[in-house]
Amino acid sequence: MSDKGNIRDYNGPAAGWGALKSVTKSWLGSEKPLKNLRAMLKTNQNNGFDCPGCAWGESPENGMVKFCENGAKAVNWESTGRYVTPEFFAQHSLSQLARQSDYWLEYQGRLTHPMRYNAESDHYEAISWDDAFALVARHLNGLSSPDQAEFYTSGRASNEAAFLYQLFVRAFGTNNFPDCSNMCHEASGVGMKGAVGVGKGTVVFNDLEKADAIFVIGQNPGTNHPRMLEPLRKAVERGARVVCFNPLKERGLERFQNPQNPLEMLSNGSEPTNTSYFRPALGGDMAAIRGMAKFLLQWEREAQEKGEPAIFDHEFIKAHTTGMDAYLAEVDATSWDKIVEQSGLSKAEIEQAATLYRQAERVIMCWAMGITQHRHSVPTVQEIANLQLLRGNVGKPGAGLSPVRGHSNVQGDRTMGIDEKAPAWLIDAVEKRFNFKAPRLPGHNTVQAIQAMEEGRAKVFIGLGGNFAQATPDTPRTHQALRNCDLTVHIATKLNRSHLVTGKDALILPCLGRTEIDMQAEGQQGITVEDTFSMVHISFGQLRPSSELLRSEPAIIAGIAKATLGNHPVDWDHLIADYSRIRDLIADVIPGFTNFNEKLKNPGGFHLGNSAAERNWNTDSGKAQFNANALPEELINAGVLARGDKPDLILQTMRSHDQYNTTLYGLDDRYRGVFGMREVVFINEAEIRRLGFAPGDKVDMVSLWDDGRERRVSGFTLVAYDIPEGQAAAYYPETNPLVPLESYGDRTFTPTSKFIAIKLEKAKADNLIASAAVN
Ligand SMILES: Nc1nc2c(c(=O)[nH]1)N[C@H]1C(S)=C(S)[C@@H](COP(=O)(O)OP(=O)(O)OC[C@H]3O[C@@H](n4cnc5c(=O)[nH]c(N)nc54)[C@H](O)[C@@H]3O)O[C@H]1N2
Ligand SMILES: Nc1nc2c(c(=O)[nH]1)N[C@H]1C(S)=C(S)[C@@H](COP(=O)(O)OP(=O)(O)OC[C@H]3O[C@@H](n4cnc5c(=O)[nH]c(N)nc54)[C@H](O)[C@@H]3O)O[C@H]1N2
Ligand SMILES: [Mo]
């Protein structure tokens, strides 16, 4: 694969003509062009469907064409004209399929039939829905404890599906809810709850139009939230500042261009003058922001001495916050040496960032995986909150905290109770409404679920969407953990690696996608989702289902639930006939959903409300909390230090432009100039030479962890790239075997996917062959 690949500079803007060409390619490639055009025009429109891409919210103006290049790819990928049928499985044994690449697997098209793995023939074979449900029920009811089952959720599941799922699982008797959020924005939730009393972003779309400065920290919106480029571009146009913290010069952040505006497309992009780009060390953001706070504190003291206007928002601090003195003492106690060393930025750069921050009356701080996938992600999120509290930048228009979510309904799934450590009020509400004793002990998150399966404490794995085998860390171990199970079940739209890493028994249950018409006993159903701004709206599929046998996610959950529990605690069939009945239950249990069905009639949906945005603080103290966290002693984990050898580099794992998490749409990464290959590692040229290699060489990456296991990926091509020294970057999920299961965030259990200590070795020929077989 990599022989065909090449590297060249990309000089075009983000989005623009390149985007349109790429969309047209995937659109024609999907073999259903006309239908898909209709579908795309309906994306994120009232009465249309919610884009199955990212969780970015919509501009409230209606009538705009609201899709982006990568949303169009997601729609096309789902509504392909290719099918994975029982004949397909008859032709390909599991062992044969396992030798195919992840890209090939998903490219085969949509799953059409429920399938059960037959170990004797080594083939998946068709099974009826009833038999499939009965099989799951038999396994679940045969367990000696409900805690021996793991119920995974990926963030595309609708509110209706997620609510039914948590109800079924709790009625069954466990809180084992590993979910993709554990690997994603967990730290944003934990950190913000401890700071402002709510785990969700405090800003709404309109705030972006009022901000004087928008900080984009550890996020690559040009690829992962393309619809965000438009409000950023508008902000720059009206003179607001866009300030980026990212070790990589991401094309989408350097230049903005809107493919939906043909006139601007002709201009081929322009370098906006009022953006600023800072390139910290991996994991260095907490130190950088601490440094900004240190400057603010210095300026505040100087202003007080000279009797000049204050830098801090004292009125806000006094009325709304607690803990500032302890925090400022911690700021004073943090030395500049440590700040400069850990942040990877000079004191002058930090001063520049602090000046930009101070000059803005209203500041929004956005962040994503560059912040949340570190060991000290919770303190980093809290440091962002500390800085914002100093200037009253929470709970006023044009300002706030904005963790930009990933999956299109990952935020809604949590709201619905997909939470392994559910708060007591939720359990109380479920018990009260449904009249059963719900489990109260915390269940397993993703890391704990893998450990439980590895050790034989969990025996059944059920995945509501996603690709657990590839999205998780320590791939060979995770695969073995899944293989240890008695039963693995995947509710999915397309074939992926997880379906091939089977327990003793295994099922694939094919479901409708977001784009497809969902017809139930009482007519066509819509499902609801919540975006990153806490807007809830309804989504109606537009296309004919890929197969008559497909069932909706709620219907599949109801089928499993009924087979396992009978009509306890609800009449499952009755709910599935009309999803507004599920929404009535949601309204009874989940705060903010009173009159749910009624509110959905509002075009564009409704806002769930956010207490911190209204300056109500649901913290222990009843105030917004400054958190006086110390900077980490060392960024490097003790599990690495214990080995005693020094890493060559710190590796971050990230997304290319042609992928949606583990789904690969293609092998290009246009903005980074990589074409036709994915097994590459980006390193500074001087560093490549210092380590005794040359660009283009093939290497193995070995990660360091003191547990006696070898973690290695093989045959990666060295790409000379503009990236700070000491760092490397490569794509996920190919590099997941390098992430030790035990290397996770404090208080979050989020794998440290953006901070992996590695050594480079010259690739060995036999490794190249092994890696070709896997990939
Ligand atoms: N097209 C498309 N859209 C997507 C997805 C997709 O795969 N494809 N995935 C969805 C999901 S689930 C999510 S969570 C989001 C992910 O959205 P992002 O968080 O944008 O995703 P990543 O590719 O992981 O990019 C992380 C960015 O952070 C930078 N970074 C890494 N480490 C650090 C650090 O220590 N400090 C700083 N300041 N920056 C750092 C990287 O250089 C990179 O630009 O996107 C969602 N949207
Ligand atoms: N090294 C490393 N690892 C990471 C990350 C990283 O940055 N680096 N990022 C992490 C993050 S942020 C996340 S969110 C996770 C993602 O983890 P997951 O959410 O588990 O993975 P996805 O790749 O999004 O799942 C793709 C699969 O979902 C199924 N699917 C698609 N649409 C639907 C649908 O409508 N219904 C159902 N039932 N199934 C559907 C398809 O079968 C497809 O193969 O990965 C995490 N892992
Ligand atoms: Mo994510």
Side-chain angles (χ1 to χ4, degrees):
M1 177 192 300
S2 33
D3 292 342
K4 281 186 271 141
N6 68 71
I7 315 283
R8 52 182 189 264
D9 284 345
Y10 179 77
N11 293 318
W17 288 115
L20 213 58
K21 249 199 295 191
S22 166
V23 170
T24 320
K25 213 164 82 183
S26 71
W27 174 20
L28 294 173
S30 79
E31 294 159 31
K32 281 204 218 159
L34 271 178
K35 274 192 188 153
N36 288 354
L37 177 62
R38 192 168 63 119
M40 274 194 279
L41 291 174
K42 283 273 191 186
T43 311
N44 293 347
Q45 302 281 347
N46 294 326
N47 302 319
F49 58 86
D50 183 72
C51 181
C54 71
W56 186 254
E58 292 138 42
S59 131
E61 306 145 35
N62 199 13
M64 277 172 54
V65 180
K66 296 168 192 164
F67 64 87
C68 66
E69 176 191 5
N70 279 344
K73 285 186 201 158
V75 168
N76 277 305
W77 197 247
E78 184 169 298
S79 41
T80 164
R82 299 167 63 97
Y83 305 100
V84 170
T85 58
E87 292 72 43
F88 170 92
F89 286 110
Q91 273 166 21
H92 304 275
S93 70
L94 187 104
S95 318
Q96 284 168 345
L97 290 173
R99 285 195 290 273
Q100 299 293 344
S101 69
D102 288 355
Y103 175 66
W104 187 94
L105 291 175
E106 281 217 32
Y107 186 73
Q108 301 314 305
R110 288 289 299 276
L111 296 157
T112 59
H113 287 61
M115 305 296 299
R116 178 186 184 181
Y117 179 58
N118 178 342
E120 260 166 50
S121 67
D122 192 34
H123 283 266
Y124 267 105
E125 294 164 0
I127 181 174
S128 74
W129 279 107
D130 283 347
D131 288 349
F133 293 149
L135 182 72
V136 181
R138 208 159 55 237
H139 275 279
L140 287 177
N141 288 327
L143 295 173
S144 48
S145 153
D147 292 330
Q148 292 179 326
E150 304 291 348
F151 297 88
Y152 180 67
T153 312
S154 167
R156 212 175 264 193
S158 63
N159 289 336
E160 288 76 4
F163 184 82
L164 281 193
Y165 197 50
Q166 66 81 33
L167 179 60
F168 157 58
V169 172
R170 295 204 159 98
F172 174 65
T174 182
N175 282 317
N176 284 350
F177 287 110
D179 76 332
C180 71
S181 191
N182 296 146
M183 298 180 271
C184 185
H185 265 293
E186 191 75 51
S188 305
V190 175
M192 284 181 63
K193 259 184 225 150
V196 295
V198 56
K200 298 181 186 181
T202 68
V203 309
V204 293
F205 192 93
N206 291 337
D207 286 319
L208 293 155
E209 294 165 357
K210 299 180 189 136
D212 304 316
I214 302 171
F215 280 65
V216 182
I217 310 181
Q219 190 197 348
N220 180 20
T223 285
N224 297 316
H225 303 93
R227 284 179 291 140
M228 182 175 172
L229 293 187
E230 169 72 2
L232 287 182
R233 192 186 55 80
K234 281 195 175 150
V236 169
E237 248 173 33
R238 65 181 165 74
R241 290 280 188 167
V242 173
V243 185
C244 304
F245 279 64
N246 199 315
L248 298 187
K249 279 260 182 186
E250 300 288 22
R251 175 58 57 174
L253 288 172
E254 281 189 287
R255 302 181 185 183
F256 310 126
Q257 210 186 21
N258 178 5
Q260 291 164 22
N261 184 337
L263 273 182
E264 278 179 48
M265 235 171 359
L266 290 174
S267 71
N268 206 31
S270 58
E271 205 76 54
T273 49
N274 45 350
T275 63
S276 303
Y277 217 105
F278 299 96
R279 306 174 74 187
L282 292 172
D285 302 87
M286 181 182 178
I289 292 166
R290 174 67 48 92
M292 289 168 69
K294 211 169 162 72
F295 271 113
L296 286 192
L297 178 57
Q298 180 192 322
W299 297 331
E300 170 65 25
R301 286 180 180 145
E302 286 166 7
Q304 277 178 17
E305 272 168 28
K306 295 184 198 148
E308 285 173 359
I311 305 295
F312 292 175
D313 184 342
H314 290 287
E315 214 177 298
F316 171 81
I317 291 168
K318 189 152 180 276
H320 289 288
T321 73
T322 174
M324 183 181 71
D325 292 344
Y327 170 62
L328 294 181
E330 188 62 44
V331 172
D332 274 328
T334 316
S335 74
W336 275 115
D337 283 352
K338 182 140 192 182
I339 289 171
V340 169
E341 179 212 308
Q342 250 180 37
S343 67
L345 300 176
S346 68
K347 194 172 169 186
E349 284 174 305
I350 295 173
E351 180 169 16
Q352 199 188 338
T355 305
L356 290 166
Y357 182 75
R358 166 196 178 167
Q359 283 166 348
E361 266 312 300
R362 298 164 191 278
V363 181
I364 293 177
M365 294 258 174
C366 300
W367 69 88
M369 296 304 100
I371 290 299
T372 60
Q373 295 177 334
H374 288 285
R375 180 162 49 101
H376 59 299
S377 291
V378 170
T380 304
V381 167
Q382 294 190 335
E383 196 62 19
I384 295 174
N386 288 336
L387 187 69
Q388 289 285 70
L389 292 176
L390 285 177
R391 296 216 359 119
N393 272 319
V394 180
K396 75 179 177 195
L401 300 167
S402 182
V404 181
R405 303 281 161 176
H407 267 300
S408 52
N409 198 40
V410 62
Q411 186 162 317
D413 291 345
R414 263 294 153 85
T415 307
M416 291 299 116
I418 301 296
D419 190 344
E420 75 280 2
K421 34 179 192 354
W425 65 258
L426 175 72
I427 305 292
D428 292 343
V430 168
E431 285 187 342
K432 184 156 165 256
R433 178 63 186 75
F434 299 104
N435 215 5
F436 67 87
K437 260 227 113 17
R440 288 192 179 253
L441 285 180
H444 295 155
N445 55 37
T446 294
V447 166
Q448 293 163 334
I450 296 166
Q451 289 167 338
M453 293 187 287
E454 185 173 54
E455 293 161 17
R457 288 182 282 118
K459 297 175 188 307
V460 174
F461 174 92
I462 299 185
L464 176 56
N467 189 357
F468 190 86
Q470 295 306 85
T472 46
D474 238 347
T475 312
R477 256 173 100 184
T478 300
H479 284 197
Q480 189 51 50
L482 286 165
R483 288 199 178 95
N484 289 349
C485 287
D486 291 335
L487 174 71
T488 49
V489 182
H490 295 280
I491 300 167
T493 50
K494 288 204 166 182
L495 188 62
N496 66 40
R497 180 76 47 201
S498 297
H499 310 158
L500 309 177
V501 184
T502 58
K504 289 176 197 76
D505 228 330
L507 289 168
I508 304 174
L509 304 179
C511 67
L512 291 172
R514 186 90 51 84
T515 57
E516 289 167 316
I517 295 167
D518 182 354
M519 200 53 88
Q520 300 295 344
E522 299 193 13
Q524 189 188 343
Q525 304 300 315
I527 51 96
T528 60
V529 293
E530 174 185 342
D531 69 26
T532 199
F533 305 119
S534 302
M535 289 292 297
V536 177
H537 58 262
I538 194 152
S539 164
F540 288 98
Q542 302 291 320
L543 302 174
R544 222 180 67 207
S546 298
S547 146
E548 281 175 7
L549 279 176
L550 298 187
R551 294 207 180 169
S552 72
E553 289 176 347
I556 295 171
I557 295 159
I560 295 175
K562 191 178 163 192
T564 310
L565 304 175
N567 275 340
H568 166 75
V570 288
D571 179 344
W572 303 98
D573 291 338
H574 180 72
L575 292 180
I576 293 307
D578 177 353
Y579 297 172
S580 66
R581 293 170 187 155
I582 307 175
R583 289 190 285 273
D584 282 338
L585 296 179
I586 294 173
D588 288 346
V589 174
I590 310 288
F593 288 84
T594 319
N595 295 325
F596 191 4
N597 285 304
E598 207 42 48
K599 281 188 197 153
L600 287 174
K601 292 182 185 148
N602 188 30
F606 64 98
H607 188 240
L608 269 183
N610 180 294
S611 47
E614 288 148 31
R615 297 194 165 173
N616 292 320
W617 316 101
N618 285 330
T619 55
D620 293 342
S621 59
K623 300 244 169 155
Q625 181 74 46
F626 282 95
N627 286 279
N629 300 304
L631 293 186
E633 276 295 310
E634 302 256 13
L635 289 179
I636 300 235
N637 203 303
V640 176
L641 291 174
R643 272 179 55 126
D645 48 351
K646 249 181 74 101
D648 290 336
L649 299 158
I650 304 299
L651 171 76
Q652 64 145 316
T653 61
M654 61 187 185
R655 291 150 173 84
S656 79
H657 195 63
D658 269 1
Q659 77 182 81
Y660 193 94
N661 298 339
T662 68
T663 295
L664 310 181
Y665 301 127
L667 304 177
D668 298 347
D669 193 7
R670 199 172 71 242
Y671 299 158
R672 298 194 185 107
V674 174
F675 297 88
M677 58 206 275
R678 286 183 54 86
E679 279 152 359
V680 295
V681 47
F682 301 95
I683 305 176
N684 189 307
E685 180 158 1
E687 190 107 47
I688 292 180
R689 303 211 183 270
R690 181 179 66 76
L691 294 168
F693 296 98
D697 282 359
K698 289 219 191 311
V699 294
D700 286 6
M701 287 186 270
V702 181
S703 71
L704 308 186
W705 196 260
D706 192 34
D707 65 356
R709 292 172 202 266
E710 183 181 78
R711 296 182 176 84
R712 174 188 295 268
V713 295
S714 297
F716 279 62
T717 303
L718 291 176
V719 175
Y721 202 73
D722 181 9
I723 180 173
E725 289 205 5
Q727 298 188 21
Y731 302 127
Y732 129 81
E734 286 83 347
T735 45
N736 286 44
L738 296 176
V739 188
L741 188 59
E742 286 74 21
S743 179
Y744 47 70
D746 293 339
R747 298 173 61 196
T748 61
F749 284 83
T750 301
T752 59
S753 307
K754 298 290 188 270
F755 199 97
I756 308 163
I758 59 163
K759 276 192 180 293
L760 296 189
E761 290 179 10
K762 198 168 160 13
K764 299 188 192 88
D766 50 340
N767 286 341
L768 289 180
I769 295 162
S771 121
V774 178
N775 296 293

